[in-house]
Amino acid sequence: MKKMVLMLLALVGCVVLAAETTPTKRVLFIGNSYTFFNNLPDAVAALGTRNGETWQVGRYLRGGATFGTHWCDNAGEAENRGKNGMTYDKKRKGGLDKLLKQRWDAVVVQANSQEPFFAPDEFQANGVKLIEKVKAAGVPRVLLYQTWARQHIPSQQAGLSAAYAKLAKATGAEVVRVGDAWAAAFKAKPGLVLHNPDRSHPNDKGSYLAACLFYRALSGKSAKGLPTRLPSVKWSSRNRKNPCYTLDAETATFLQDIADRFDPAR
């Protein structure tokens, strides 16, 4: 009997040790449709949950949202942006505060893809407010999700990159250079399509490249050798049948190589 008790205690000890040595990375995404298209958070979690690690993700998302939209929704205030303004969503009041009470290893912050052009001052001012709020909650890392140019206006990338770099300099946040990586992919492979047919949102290849960049930024590891298909990642909770990511191995490997060229920038 004594021998059996000792064996059980040893087994419990092994289980506790395994739980303590298996890291769980928790990442919160604050953004809009550029984040929820192709379920980017779950794709990042799927890439990270391997080799004994478990990644978990959270979301504070609203289609078309700017930095100001997120701030005002959480505060329960109407956003004042003229013709580009959005009515605040009362269901989201206090939602970000509630999420930030949880433990996060990193928070990803993303603005409206055209905000640096139609509201450059608000982009900077509200971005600073939002990032400082996240930092005040004790989050060790804030990652800025640099977005990409519209398919028919590639010249936008320089302005987007500059806006995110300026915000990073003002706040100490890190820039995950998704837009710059897209531009590099287009240059390396003419004819490559990363946009959805609407010429704005990402297709599965575009989101896969973004996911590889976030994996690299969050883990500090190379994107090479990551899974080329993510059958467990579905488009949304409402559409659980169709997987988002069905890339061929050649394309996925090419995108992994592109991701490895871009370290997070401050």
Side-chain angles (χ1 to χ4, degrees):
M1 181 66 180
K2 185 177 180 180
K3 186 176 181 181
M4 184 178 294
V5 171
L6 290 173
M7 289 176 64
L8 286 171
L9 287 173
L11 180 60
V12 170
C14 289
V15 172
V16 171
L17 180 62
E20 289 177 347
T21 56
T22 302
T24 298
K25 193 177 294 294
R26 303 191 76 244
V27 185
L28 175 64
F29 286 82
I30 302 173
N32 53 45
S33 56
Y34 275 37
T35 296
F36 67 66
F37 253 64
N38 302 312
N39 202 344
L40 177 64
D42 276 7
V44 173
L47 293 178
T49 301
R50 55 199 296 271
N51 297 329
E53 294 195 10
T54 301
W55 288 22
Q56 298 173 349
V57 291
R59 299 165 175 79
Y60 188 72
L61 309 175
R62 182 181 179 187
T66 63
F67 286 146
T69 307
H70 295 309
W71 182 271
C72 292
D73 278 356
N74 182 66
E77 302 171 355
E79 186 180 8
N80 181 18
R81 277 202 288 124
K83 67 179 182 179
N84 293 306
M86 296 179 70
T87 322
Y88 103 86
D89 184 348
K90 62 182 180 181
K91 295 179 182 177
R92 283 162 49 91
K93 183 178 180 180
L96 182 56
D97 287 334
K98 187 175 180 180
L99 283 167
L100 289 176
K101 289 179 181 178
Q102 301 178 33
R103 179 189 69 80
W104 302 104
D105 297 292
V107 172
V108 176
V109 183
Q110 179 236 324
N112 181 289
S113 62
Q114 298 297 292
E115 189 176 355
F117 305 120
F118 66 67
D121 294 337
E122 290 85 349
F123 173 89
Q124 297 296 331
N126 290 323
V128 169
K129 285 167 56 177
L130 197 58
I131 291 167
E132 291 305 317
K133 182 179 188 65
V134 171
K135 286 185 172 182
V139 179
R141 294 183 71 189
V142 181
L143 305 179
L144 286 167
Y145 178 175
Q146 179 207 79
T147 55
W148 50 84
R150 295 287 170 90
Q151 188 174 25
H152 54 300
I153 320 176
S155 60
Q156 285 185 335
Q157 192 57 52
L160 290 167
S161 300
Y164 278 96
K166 181 179 178 180
L167 182 56
K169 186 176 181 179
T171 60
E174 302 168 65
V175 183
V176 179
R177 300 167 58 198
V178 180
D180 290 339
W182 275 43
F186 293 141
K187 184 176 181 179
K189 198 169 187 177
L192 176 70
V193 177
L194 300 178
H195 291 83
N196 188 275
D198 66 7
R199 301 191 294 182
S200 171
H201 293 91
N203 61 19
D204 60 343
K205 299 180 184 67
S207 291
Y208 183 82
L209 176 52
C212 287
L213 286 156
F214 278 109
Y215 170 83
R216 179 166 166 71
L218 290 162
S219 70
K221 300 174 183 177
S222 169
K224 293 179 181 178
L226 288 173
T228 59
R229 294 190 173 216
L230 305 174
S232 65
V233 181
K234 311 301 180 182
W235 209 92
S236 71
S237 59
R238 295 181 181 180
N239 181 359
R240 304 302 299 174
K241 294 182 179 180
N242 299 321
C244 299
Y245 300 90
T246 56
L247 282 68
D248 62 89
E250 181 181 353
T251 300
T253 300
F254 166 76
L255 296 174
Q256 291 169 10
D257 289 341
I258 292 292
D260 269 1
R261 300 183 192 177
F262 293 88
D263 293 322
R266 290 184 183 272

